[in-house]
Amino acid sequence: SCNRTGSSPLTFILTGIPGVRMSSYWMALPLCCLYLLMLLGNLTLLWVVTTDRSLHTAMHYFLSMLALADLGLSLSTLPTMLAIFWFESTSLRFEACVVQMYFIHSFSAIESGVLVAMAFDRFVAVCHPLRYASVLRSSLVMKAGGAIFLRGVCVVLPVAVLLPKMSFCRSHVLSHSFCLHQDMLRLVCGDIRLNSFYGLTAVALTKGLDSLAIFLSYVMIIRAILSIVSQEARAKAFSTCICHLCAVLIFYVPLIGLSITHRFGKHLPPLIPTLLADAYLLVPPVLNPLVYSWKTRQVCRRILILLCPR
């Protein structure tokens, strides 16, 4: 039977982890710990950057934007993930699914944009260190942040507008514990060419261009580092990029893997795309604050003062 989203309440069935019982507390407890760690790490990072005036620099402002994007990404998946593993609640109304899908993809686009801004920050710091303060002024950082946010909000909006016009007449079972655009399109009957084309275009214009910009930034950074004569200065210059490289790999590797499995991995076991999607949405928000707190001396020192006041 064919369900038109406007004529009767449409409900999707979310999937937990294949092979794991829904009401599995050994899955729910680590998941809660993961979300608590994410909240604690990102909120602490935001608090440290806000309260310490010595951290009011372009790099730390971009780091704050990354923490906000990570918080948004994690909180978008939190309701359905916990509902599945704590309460065995797998059904989700179509409207709620579209809203969740919109926020997941918007915050993902915002995070990708922030990673590009951070790559530009590292490029200026390594290739033009004497011009760093004059180029990356607070006004430019704020404008870049606003542009990144607007792009993330606007680029996903047509997808959220087009989906309610679709008819869903196949199984309403989704592949993940949350709603993703490509997963919802799989259940549409009728012509999905417009949706599919726009989805691919949006990905190409955001993550595609972003990954290219990051790659080109690092080509120029590596050229600049290799031109430094002193081995010690070369190592120091490269060490300033390690955190950002880790953040890029943590974000893009699961994302690329998930995109490939959705497009070409129809015969793969269901566990593989599920784990890739979970890694893409859960791992970066947890690891990014840990990586930056460990590697950035000022942040680490400020957190230690917070935890062990005299």
Side-chain angles (χ1 to χ4, degrees):
S1 64
C2 192
N3 279 27
R4 171 68 69 176
T5 57
S7 61
S8 61
L10 177 61
T11 303
F12 286 127
I13 306 299
L14 300 173
T15 306
I17 295 174
V20 176
R21 231 167 17 95
M22 288 296 182
S23 58
S24 174
Y25 290 110
W26 70 268
M27 267 303 299
L29 284 171
L31 197 61
C32 280
C33 292
L34 209 60
Y35 276 112
L36 285 172
L37 188 62
M38 176 278 301
L39 284 169
L40 183 65
N42 287 290
L43 290 174
T44 302
L45 202 55
L46 285 169
W47 183 86
V48 166
V49 173
T50 305
T51 55
D52 191 338
R53 292 190 65 81
S54 69
L55 299 179
H56 291 184
T57 63
M59 185 186 84
H60 294 100
Y61 286 141
F62 287 134
L63 184 54
S64 298
M65 291 177 201
L66 186 69
L68 286 170
D70 280 336
L71 280 168
L73 202 55
S74 288
L75 293 174
S76 299
T77 62
L78 176 69
T80 51
M81 290 282 279
L82 292 186
I84 287 170
F85 291 107
W86 272 118
F87 307 110
E88 214 171 333
S89 173
T90 58
S91 60
L92 189 68
R93 286 282 295 271
F94 173 78
E95 294 80 7
C97 200
V98 170
V99 169
Q100 185 183 47
M101 179 274 300
Y102 174 77
F103 279 113
I104 287 173
H105 290 296
S106 289
F107 280 114
S108 178
I110 290 168
E111 177 147 353
S112 181
V114 173
L115 289 172
V116 174
M118 294 175 92
F120 178 69
D121 170 86
R122 292 300 84 206
F123 163 73
V124 177
V126 173
C127 301
H128 305 284
L130 299 177
R131 296 177 57 198
Y132 183 83
S134 61
V135 172
L136 285 164
R137 298 186 304 276
S138 295
S139 58
L140 179 67
V141 171
M142 292 304 120
K143 285 174 187 173
I148 289 164
F149 177 78
L150 275 175
R151 186 191 72 159
V153 167
C154 295
V155 78
V156 190
L157 201 56
V159 166
V161 171
L162 287 168
L163 264 177
K165 303 179 189 300
M166 301 285 103
S167 298
F168 293 81
C169 52
R170 298 176 192 171
S171 162
H172 295 155
V173 179
L174 295 171
S175 309
H176 304 291
S177 308
F178 33 77
C179 301
L180 295 176
H181 178 241
Q182 56 269 46
D183 200 22
M184 293 172 76
L185 273 190
R186 196 173 48 81
L187 307 180
V188 172
C189 59
D191 190 359
I192 62 165
R193 281 178 297 179
L194 179 61
N195 274 58
S196 191
F197 175 75
Y198 181 78
L200 283 170
T201 305
V203 170
L205 291 175
T206 52
K207 279 120 186 191
L209 286 179
D210 291 351
S211 54
L212 181 62
I214 292 168
F215 174 75
L216 292 174
S217 297
Y218 272 98
V219 167
M220 290 184 280
I221 287 168
I222 289 165
R223 280 180 62 189
I225 289 172
L226 292 176
S227 68
I228 298 170
V229 177
S230 165
Q231 193 76 30
E232 189 181 336
R234 198 183 290 181
K236 189 178 179 183
F238 182 72
S239 71
T240 63
C241 302
I242 288 174
C243 290
H244 181 253
L245 273 173
C246 288
V248 168
L249 291 173
I250 288 165
F251 180 77
Y252 276 104
V253 169
L255 171 62
I256 292 166
L258 181 63
S259 300
I260 290 169
T261 54
H262 268 295
R263 299 287 168 194
F264 309 110
K266 307 294 182 191
H267 306 295
L268 287 172
L271 185 62
I272 292 172
T274 300
L275 291 178
L276 282 170
D278 290 348
Y280 157 54
L281 293 173
L282 297 177
V283 173
V286 174
L287 289 189
N288 283 338
L290 296 176
V291 168
Y292 273 96
S293 301
W294 168 69
K295 200 78 184 74
T296 309
R297 205 171 297 167
Q298 301 106 302
V299 174
C300 195
R301 187 171 65 242
R302 187 70 179 166
I303 290 172
L304 286 171
I305 292 168
L306 172 67
L307 293 174
C308 312
R310 288 180 183 178

